[in-house]
Amino acid sequence: MGLRIVVDCAHGAAYRVAPTVLRELGAEVIAIGCEPNGTNINAGCGAMHPEQIQAAVREHGAHLGLALDGDADRAVMCDERGEVVDGDQIMCMCARDMALRGQLRGGAVVATVMSNLGLERALEEVGIGIVRTPVGDRYVVEAMRAGGYNLGGEQSGHLVFLDHATTGDGLVAALQVLGIMRSTGSPLSRLAAAMVRYPQVTTNLKVARKTPIDKLPRTSRTIREVETELGEDGRVLVRYSGTEAKLRVMVECEDAAQADEVVGRICDAAVRELGAAG
């Protein structure tokens, strides 16, 4: 393989297998987060804290970094410059490569409503569709099986390659990326650049009640106004948390300042109708 790779195993399930597999494939491995003691799993490390691999990649001059989470079903990477490569970017490069090789079933990728609009645009450029599901890898897998798709995942790094595994597997995802790097001779930064991430602003608003959004005239009107303003160059997602008394407001568009402004407008309208929790 000839690559220097930093791998952070989050003191979790893959603390032995991930470094071993990468070394067996010929990589020089700098392993961190590989000393589980029963209580330190995910503690300040792994996919939830990619700053660890970012720093280590820069320190060791590595070609890339790989951060797994405790149960190793998530993968977040960083390129040779230490820039984070998230699940959306990994799906993008893998989908484009699979399509070129005639291996992308259904001509589409399954992603959740939280995946960045930049993923959708980058796939559209090469004729690949996107199927959106609610948040949660189980919804992704259900849609993949129902529609006959073989690639799906979440921005957070849950990536499912149904030709190789029945659920998310961070090491499998990393091996797909390494295969593309090897076949193309491209650094990870160049592969990740196929997708331009749109600015995404998200606010979690504590609310006094969870009235259906379509029953909130002011909020619904504001959402429609924002969607009209953004047109095809933006996206709005407003939904309640399934477990907390919170309204989640997410806006994506090309201008981060505009995204921040319209999120504020939607939140102001929601507070007037739902009340703000203390």
Side-chain angles (χ1 to χ4, degrees):
M1 185 184 293
L3 296 177
R4 181 178 296 126
I5 301 173
V6 174
V7 58
D8 182 349
C9 298
H11 302 302
Y15 80 100
R16 283 187 179 174
V17 69
T20 299
V21 167
L22 295 172
R23 289 183 178 121
E24 286 291 325
L25 292 173
E28 177 187 345
V29 177
I30 297 98
I32 59 179
C34 293
E35 299 177 356
N37 62 16
T39 63
N40 61 352
I41 187 168
N42 290 323
C45 57
M48 295 293 291
H49 298 276
E51 62 272 13
Q52 300 297 328
I53 57 167
Q54 290 179 273
V57 162
R58 295 180 180 123
E59 177 185 352
H60 295 281
H63 294 91
L64 72 150
L66 165 65
L68 304 171
D69 64 343
D71 58 359
D73 65 350
R74 286 178 54 191
V76 172
M77 305 181 79
C78 75
D79 64 23
E80 71 282 1
R81 301 175 301 190
E83 298 295 326
V84 169
V85 177
D86 66 15
D88 285 345
Q89 292 168 295
I90 295 172
M91 279 192 286
C92 181
M93 66 182 79
C94 289
R96 290 167 69 113
D97 178 74
M98 291 167 68
L100 280 174
R101 293 185 286 110
Q103 294 183 356
L104 186 68
R105 293 206 305 270
V109 169
V110 179
T112 76
V113 292
M114 292 304 297
S115 276
N116 196 274
L117 185 58
L119 172 63
E120 196 167 317
R121 295 290 182 261
L123 295 178
E124 286 175 352
E125 287 178 2
V126 291
I128 300 172
I130 184 168
V131 176
R132 298 254 188 193
T133 74
V135 174
D137 56 330
R138 74 181 183 93
Y139 297 112
V140 171
V141 174
E142 286 173 3
M144 291 175 71
R145 289 176 172 157
Y149 306 108
N150 60 346
L151 174 59
E154 296 187 277
Q155 186 182 72
S156 61
H158 283 114
L159 303 165
V160 183
F161 295 82
L162 275 186
D163 292 339
H164 305 288
T166 58
T167 187
D169 188 309
L171 186 55
V172 167
L175 293 176
Q176 303 309 303
V177 173
L178 291 170
I180 298 170
M181 292 176 65
R182 180 183 177 89
S183 65
T184 63
S186 298
L188 185 54
S189 60
R190 186 179 304 164
L191 296 173
M195 174 189 147
V196 178
R197 190 188 288 112
Y198 277 50
Q200 187 179 81
V201 176
T202 302
T203 294
N204 294 314
L205 181 68
K206 292 184 179 180
V207 294
R209 50 193 172 275
K210 295 166 75 171
T211 305
I213 294 167
D214 60 1
K215 303 297 184 184
L216 303 173
R218 183 190 293 268
T219 304
S220 296
R221 183 172 64 252
T222 303
I223 293 170
R224 290 194 299 270
E225 290 171 353
V226 168
E227 289 175 332
T228 299
E229 289 175 25
L230 298 179
E232 295 184 356
D233 295 322
R235 194 166 66 93
V236 180
L237 177 65
V238 181
R239 65 186 180 91
Y240 289 109
S241 165
T243 57
E244 302 175 275
K246 290 182 179 180
L247 183 71
R248 306 196 191 283
V249 181
M250 185 274 286
V251 173
E252 291 174 345
C253 63
E254 295 178 338
D255 187 322
Q258 183 184 17
D260 193 60
E261 187 270 331
V262 297
V263 163
R265 281 162 52 192
I266 294 170
C267 287
D268 287 345
V271 167
R272 287 175 179 268
E273 294 183 300
L274 293 171

